Amino acid sequence: MAITQQLARIPAEYLASCRQSAGESLDGNPHWDPSSADILDLDWAPTLLERICELGGLDDVHLNALRQSTAGDTAIDLGFLNTHPHAIGPFGSAPTALSAAQVARVSELLWQIDFPALLAALPTDETEAASLIGDGADRIVGGLRKYLLGHFNALRDFYRDASQRHLLLVLWWD
């Protein structure tokens, strides 16, 4: 099974409840179970999205916002979500999060990125474009640009909804 990037948009109160459950449970079970409607599976697109932005010459402010949107931040302690046997991302690095304020800022910056223009800067030949991108882009089935644009739009929309609802985001690899 492939390891993929997962994001969950949740209220701060839900995270506090999970932290409390983990603290009170004999086996550290946080009872982590966000709604499936509030989870985004980015597959293994984050590295490819970042590479497109680098190749297209995206400025540092927007590139860093994209990186933060898929890497999160370690300011919020999520150690309780990374404890065996209830770890939410046992195959990757420890889960990270973004506060509601960080989500709002990242969302704003993601919506300023002209991703179709960045894709247009790639060579028109799919094989050549995939070779330039690297990181397994040559294994994408169904169209490289379609895959990347679909995942970028999903990420941007996910952040916009989280921002509008004043939610924080938890990120992990599973």
Side-chain angles (χ1 to χ4, degrees), residues 52-162:
I52 295 296
C53 292
E54 290 169 348
L55 290 169
L58 188 64
D59 66 271
D60 287 343
V61 170
H62 291 90
L63 182 57
N64 288 334
L66 176 71
R67 287 177 178 147
Q68 190 175 31
S69 76
T70 60
D73 192 324
T74 58
I76 298 174
D77 177 22
L78 298 178
F80 67 95
L81 292 176
N82 198 34
T83 305
H84 180 76
H86 304 289
I88 66 170
F91 304 112
S93 56
T96 59
L98 293 175
S99 69
Q102 289 172 308
V103 167
R105 180 67 178 143
V106 166
S107 175
E108 177 185 332
L109 291 168
L110 287 176
W111 276 90
Q112 295 171 7
I113 297 173
D114 185 354
F115 201 75
L118 295 170
L119 288 173
L122 290 173
T124 55
D125 179 71
E126 287 273 322
T127 303
E128 189 179 337
S131 177
L132 186 62
I133 296 166
D135 290 313
D138 59 330
R139 294 185 298 243
I140 294 175
V141 177
L144 178 62
R145 285 172 178 77
K146 180 181 176 184
Y147 174 89
L148 294 168
L149 184 59
H151 282 80
F152 179 79
N153 287 340
L155 177 68
R156 189 176 61 174
D157 292 344
F158 195 78
Y159 267 85
R160 174 174 269 176
D161 183 72

